[in-house]
Amino acid sequence: MKRYIKSFICVLMVSMIALPAGISAYAEESGDYKYTTGSNGNAVITGYTGTDTDVVVPSSLDGFPVEEIGRRAFAGNKTIKSITVSEGITVINSSAFSGCSNLQKAVLPEGLLELKDCAFQSDRNLETINFPSTLTTIGASCFYDDLKLTKAVIPGGVKILGENAFRFCNALTEITIEEGVEEIKSGAFYECPKVSKLVLPSTMKIIGRDALVLSANLTYIIVPDGIESIGSQGIGFRRTFVFENDDDPYVVPVTDLVLYGKPGSVAEAYAKQNAMTFKDSSELFNVTYKGASLRVNNPGMRFGFSLECGDLALEDAYESEIGFLYSYSESSAEKLTLENRGKEGVNKIIAVNSSESGNIVSYNLVFTKIPKESYAEKISVRGYAVIDGRVYYTEPATDCLNDIAQRILSDDKLDGGTKDALRKTFDIQYLKGGNI
C-alpha cells in the first residue's frame, strides 16, 4: 500500500494545477499530438493519441517549436516501448510519462533542463535512460518504482535531487553523483539493494532521511569534508525484507561498513550515533614526488611518483585513476590542476603502467626523443590520484634534461662507466659549469 501513496498524490496534484500564464486554453491537434501554444510562440505537447511502439517526440508542430512536454501528456500509455525526445525540448513536466507500462528505453536530448516531479514514475519496464549533462532539475518521485532501471546519473547542474527520486528502483546497480550536486532529499535512493558502491562528490552538503538505503555489500563510504547534515538513516543503511516481529525495523546498518571522514565532523557524529566504524579520511592516501632521472635504454627523461595507501588498498577503491599533469614551462600548483587541463598549456596523461610493493604504488612519467636544442627547456610536472572522487596531488616539480644530467655527472658516488654511457646516449659534451 505504501508504495502507491506517492503515485496517487502526484496524480491529484497534477489535476489541480492550472495552465501557466500565456498558454492557450484550447488544444490544437497535429497528427497524433495535441498541443497548446504560448505567447512566446512555442508549443507544449499536452497529449498523444498514436499507437506506435517507437515514438520520436517532434521538435516542432505546425511550425511551432516544441518547448515542453506537458503534464501527463503520455501518462498511462500501454503501447510505447521506446521514446526519443527531440532537441529543443527543455522541460518534461510532471507525470508526462508516468505509468507507461511497456516503456523500455528513453533517449533525452542535450539541452534538456528539467525533469519534473513523477516524470517517469512507475514505468516498471524502463531499463535504460540517459541523463543529459544540461539537466538542472530531477524532481520528486521522478523515477519512483521503476523496477528495471539499472543506472542513474545525477549531473552536476542538479543542485538538489528530489525526494524519492529513485525510490524502489530495485534493479539499480550503478549510481553516479557528479561534482556540483549539493543535496539529496529524503528517500531519493531508498531500497536500491543492488547498489554496492557509493562515491559522494566534494560539493555534497546535505543528505536527507533514508536518502541512500543501498546494498548490504557496501564496505565503506568516504564522506566529504563539507557535509553539513545527514538525516536519520541517511547513509550506511540497508533495507530488511525478513521480519520476525511486527516492530522489527525496515532498515538496519550495513554490517562492517566503515565511514571515512574528517575528525570532529558531522560524519563522525553520525557514525557514533549509529554505532558505525569511523576513520580519518586524511590518512587514506598520499601522493609523493620521488625525483627526476635520465634513462639510457630507450633514452628519456623520467619523473617518478608514488601513491601510499593507508587503510584502504587501491584495488579495493570503488573508483581510481592515477596520472600526471605537465606543462612546457615553469608552473605553479594553482596552474597544474585537473580543472586546467587543456588550458594554459596544461596537459594530462593517465598512468597505464605501475608497480606495487606492499602499500606503495609507483608510476613514472617519461619524456623520450627529446631534441638536443630542447635540453635546457624547463618542464613542470605534477602527480595526481583521483580516488572515489577525492583528488590527491604532489607539489609541482620543474626540471630540464641539462639540469638532471648536471646532477648525475656531478655525483661522486657514480662510476665512470655510467657517466660515459650517459654522455654518449645524450651526446653531452658541455654543460653549464664547463666540461664534465
Side-chain angles (χ1 to χ4, degrees), residues 60-375:
S60 66
L61 291 169
D62 296 333
F64 296 105
V66 176
E67 185 175 34
E68 301 184 21
I69 298 174
R71 302 180 182 98
R72 299 191 59 78
F74 293 81
N77 184 284
K78 300 185 186 310
T79 59
I80 297 175
K81 292 183 178 180
S82 74
I83 194 88
T84 300
V85 178
S86 294
E87 290 187 7
I89 296 175
T90 59
V91 179
I92 297 178
N93 277 291
S94 301
S95 300
F97 295 99
S98 65
C100 292
S101 57
N102 284 301
L103 181 63
Q104 299 171 17
K105 180 181 178 181
V107 180
L108 307 180
E110 284 296 312
L112 184 69
L113 300 176
E114 297 183 68
L115 292 174
K116 293 197 173 180
D117 296 355
C118 311
F120 288 89
Q121 178 187 324
S122 297
D123 293 340
R124 294 186 172 181
N125 283 299
L126 180 63
E127 297 178 2
T128 60
I129 186 170
N130 64 304
F131 296 84
S133 63
T134 49
L135 278 175
T136 60
T137 299
I138 298 178
S141 299
C142 194
F143 298 94
Y144 182 104
D145 206 27
D146 288 359
L147 300 179
K148 292 186 178 180
L149 190 65
T150 59
K151 181 179 180 180
V153 178
I154 315 304
V158 179
K159 301 303 180 186
I160 301 174
L161 178 62
E163 179 179 336
N164 298 320
F166 294 87
R167 191 180 184 100
F168 299 131
C169 289
N170 295 340
L172 204 63
T173 59
E174 184 179 346
I175 296 173
T176 301
I177 306 173
E178 296 183 351
E179 288 290 319
V181 179
E182 297 179 358
E183 180 177 356
I184 300 177
K185 290 283 191 180
S186 63
F189 291 100
Y190 182 88
E191 197 178 314
C192 298
K194 294 185 178 180
V195 178
S196 59
K197 70 175 187 177
L198 175 64
V199 177
L200 297 174
S202 63
T203 51
M204 185 66 65
K205 296 179 181 179
I206 300 172
I207 297 173
R209 177 185 175 90
D210 294 329
L212 293 153
V213 177
L214 307 176
S215 170
N217 295 322
L218 275 173
T219 56
Y220 71 92
I221 299 172
I222 301 177
V223 182
D225 294 347
I227 284 283
E228 299 171 359
S229 173
I230 302 175
S232 176
Q233 304 163 169
I235 55 175
F237 280 74
R238 64 177 178 85
R239 182 76 159 83
T240 54
F241 297 96
V242 178
F243 305 96
E244 295 181 0
N245 302 298
D246 291 340
D247 57 352
D248 283 349
Y250 281 98
V251 296
V252 295
V254 174
T255 305
D256 299 327
L257 178 77
V258 178
L259 286 186
Y260 292 97
K262 185 177 180 181
S265 66
V266 167
E268 184 175 25
Y270 177 86
K272 184 177 180 180
Q273 180 183 4
N274 292 285
M276 294 176 176
T277 301
F278 178 85
K279 294 186 177 182
D280 186 350
S281 59
S282 67
E283 299 177 358
L284 276 174
F285 300 98
N286 183 46
V287 188
T288 304
Y289 173 61
K290 306 302 289 186
S293 61
L294 297 180
R295 206 168 63 174
V296 175
N297 296 325
N298 189 15
M301 183 166 50
R302 176 170 52 201
F303 296 89
F305 301 89
S306 69
L307 172 67
E308 182 178 3
C309 304
D311 188 61
L312 184 67
L314 186 62
E315 62 266 24
D316 293 332
Y318 299 138
E319 298 175 2
S320 64
E321 176 184 294
I322 56 176
F324 324 92
L325 298 164
Y326 69 93
S327 65
Y328 294 107
S329 62
E330 192 162 352
S331 298
S332 65
E334 289 73 22
K335 180 178 178 180
L336 284 177
T337 65
L338 289 170
E339 291 77 16
N340 279 341
R341 63 179 177 179
K343 299 182 288 187
E344 301 182 69
V346 175
N347 302 283
K348 170 191 168 183
I349 296 180
I350 297 173
V352 293
N353 295 311
S354 62
S355 61
E356 296 187 26
S357 177
N359 67 334
I360 303 294
V361 180
S362 299
Y363 52 110
N364 299 313
L365 174 62
V366 179
F367 295 89
T368 60
K369 299 180 180 180
I370 302 172
K372 191 171 182 180
E373 59 269 22
S374 298
Y375 282 7

